[in-house]
């Protein structure tokens, strides 16, 4: 099972001005989607799982400020992952993979007795 992870970090909260900088990103609303590139459901779609949240960023010392117009998804994703910490990101990815595995080969199935 090959899992592909894609971040969406396109929605952010900004301070209009902070320390003489404009549009300072201080919070990122993120989604992390996992897609199994190998296995498909009964409709022929790849199995997926997704989680989301928001991550506050430390803006106390803005030594390497990046202008809002120069931001891209890769830069913001890097900030989010750094703020979360590698262990948290690894744990989230493992949970998403486990959710996909459970969808493919469920350990429990709900049924109704008629």
């Amino acid at each position: 099972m090959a899992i592909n992870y894609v971040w969406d970090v396109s929605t952010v909260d900004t301070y209009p001005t902070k320390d003489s900088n404009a549009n300072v990103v201080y919070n990122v609303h993120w989604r992390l989607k996992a897609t199994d590139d190998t296995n498909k459901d009964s409709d022929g779609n790849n199995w997926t799982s997704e989680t989301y949240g928001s991550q506050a960023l430390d803006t106390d010392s803005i030594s390497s400020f990046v202008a809002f117009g120069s931001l891209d998804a890769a830069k913001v994703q890097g900030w989010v992952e750094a703020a979360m910490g590698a262990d948290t990101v690894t744990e989230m990815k493992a949970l998403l993979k486990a959710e996909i595995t459970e969808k493919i080969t469920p350990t429990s199935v709900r049924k109704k007795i008629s």
Side-chain angles (χ1 to χ4, degrees), residues 8-108:
D8 176 353
V9 292
S10 59
T11 303
V12 298
D13 297 320
T14 65
Y15 295 124
T17 57
K18 181 169 176 39
D19 299 334
S20 302
N21 296 305
N23 299 313
V24 176
V25 176
Y26 70 89
N27 191 51
V28 180
H29 301 271
W30 56 265
R31 287 185 172 280
L32 179 58
K33 183 175 184 179
T35 302
D36 180 344
D37 291 337
T38 307
N39 299 291
K40 298 186 184 298
D41 64 18
S42 60
D43 294 327
N45 300 311
N46 293 86
W47 289 101
T48 64
S49 187
E50 188 172 349
T51 189
Y52 62 91
S54 63
Q55 179 62 52
L57 303 177
D58 183 5
T59 60
D60 288 339
S61 175
I62 307 173
S63 59
S64 58
F65 179 73
V66 178
F68 190 82
S70 298
L71 289 178
D72 60 18
K75 181 70 171 171
V76 177
Q77 177 184 333
W79 291 344
V80 169
E81 290 190 51
M84 287 180 170
D87 290 344
T88 298
V89 173
T90 299
E91 182 179 307
M92 284 191 324
K93 288 180 177 181
L95 289 171
L96 291 173
K97 183 177 181 179
E99 287 176 7
I100 290 173
T101 299
E102 179 66 22
K103 289 177 182 180
I104 294 169
T105 53
T107 57
S108 174

Side-chain angles (χ1 to χ4, degrees), residues 103-114:
K103 289 177 182 180
I104 294 169
T105 53
T107 57
S108 174
V109 178
R110 180 177 294 173
K111 298 192 176 222
K112 185 170 182 164
I113 300 172
S114 48

